Amino acid sequence: MAQKSAPKAAPKKSAPKKSSAKSAAPITSPLSNSDRDITGRVLQDTLLDLIDLHLVAKQAHWNVVGKFFRDVHLQLDELVTSARGFADDVAERAVTIGVSPDGRASTVAKGSGLPDFPADWRTDGQVIEAIVDTLSEVVARLRKRIDETDKTDLVSQDLLIAISSDLEKSHWMWQAQLA
């Protein structure tokens, strides 16, 4: 009786060799390296503040109580939506200039310069005061960053101006409730 020979094993494919050298960034920048680095840092810092603003407003939204609960609750929803949209715009601008944005929770916790919002219930008046303070800080930081991008990237500066304009209007509307 003839014996069948075992099928030959297919030759093993070798894994692609990994280069020890760092590969080039997948997105090229329209800016010089120096301008990209400065603008990228400004955008990253702004991203962290906007993500934190979203989180502060959401924390306040969940914990507000008081006579004007409904109005403050709904106004916080508007702020959350704005902050999230602005954060996305800033992150996408960073990508556009060849900078990888970092919006991880640990990065936001380490890098945001916004005041902490306390845990637990807060009256509508306490929430309004905290949001006024937070928006004041965001706007002040944005205005400094607008100046920083004056010589590096006018397109990013324009984005920061638009965000600042909207947040300044929001700041005014929150302050008006304290008058």
Side-chain angles (χ1 to χ4, degrees):
M1 198 172 6
Q3 288 187 349
K4 291 185 181 178
S5 61
K8 291 185 179 179
K12 290 185 179 179
K13 293 183 181 178
S14 60
K17 291 184 180 180
K18 293 183 181 179
S19 171
S20 60
K22 187 176 179 182
S23 62
I27 308 298
T28 59
S29 180
L31 307 176
S32 71
N33 289 343
S34 174
D35 289 350
R36 182 202 60 225
D37 292 346
I38 292 166
T39 304
R41 180 189 46 77
V42 165
L43 292 171
Q44 176 63 31
D45 291 346
T46 302
L47 176 64
L48 298 181
D49 285 353
L50 291 169
I51 293 171
D52 200 14
L53 175 61
H54 154 254
L55 295 170
V56 164
K58 206 59 177 167
Q59 179 68 21
H61 170 88
W62 293 323
N63 288 286
V64 64
V65 295
K67 184 177 180 179
F68 300 105
F69 159 81
R70 182 164 170 71
D71 291 337
V72 173
H73 186 81
L74 294 174
Q75 194 173 6
L76 287 164
D77 269 339
E78 294 170 3
L79 183 57
V80 166
T81 299
S82 293
R84 287 181 74 185
F86 293 147
D88 194 51
D89 292 342
V90 167
E92 288 178 355
R93 180 63 193 159
V95 172
T96 300
I97 65 166
V99 174
S100 175
D102 185 355
R104 296 173 297 157
S106 60
T107 306
V108 174
K110 289 178 204 166
S112 173
L114 302 188
D116 285 334
F117 187 85
D120 212 353
W121 308 112
R122 293 287 170 244
T123 66
D124 44 20
Q126 291 171 318
V127 167
I128 293 167
E129 288 176 7
I131 295 299
V132 166
D133 291 345
T134 300
L135 284 170
S136 179
E137 185 64 26
V138 172
V139 167
R141 293 165 66 88
L142 269 170
R143 285 188 160 268
K144 287 178 186 171
R145 294 174 187 144
I146 289 167
D147 289 343
E148 289 181 67
T149 55
D150 187 50
K151 300 284 189 238
T152 63
D153 183 25
L154 296 178
V155 177
S156 294
Q157 183 188 51
D158 188 52
L159 174 62
L160 298 178
I161 289 169
I163 293 169
S164 181
S165 176
D166 190 88
L167 291 179
E168 287 175 12
K169 182 178 178 183
S170 183
H171 183 243
W172 153 61
M173 290 183 171
W174 283 97
Q175 285 183 88
Q177 296 176 77
L178 296 174

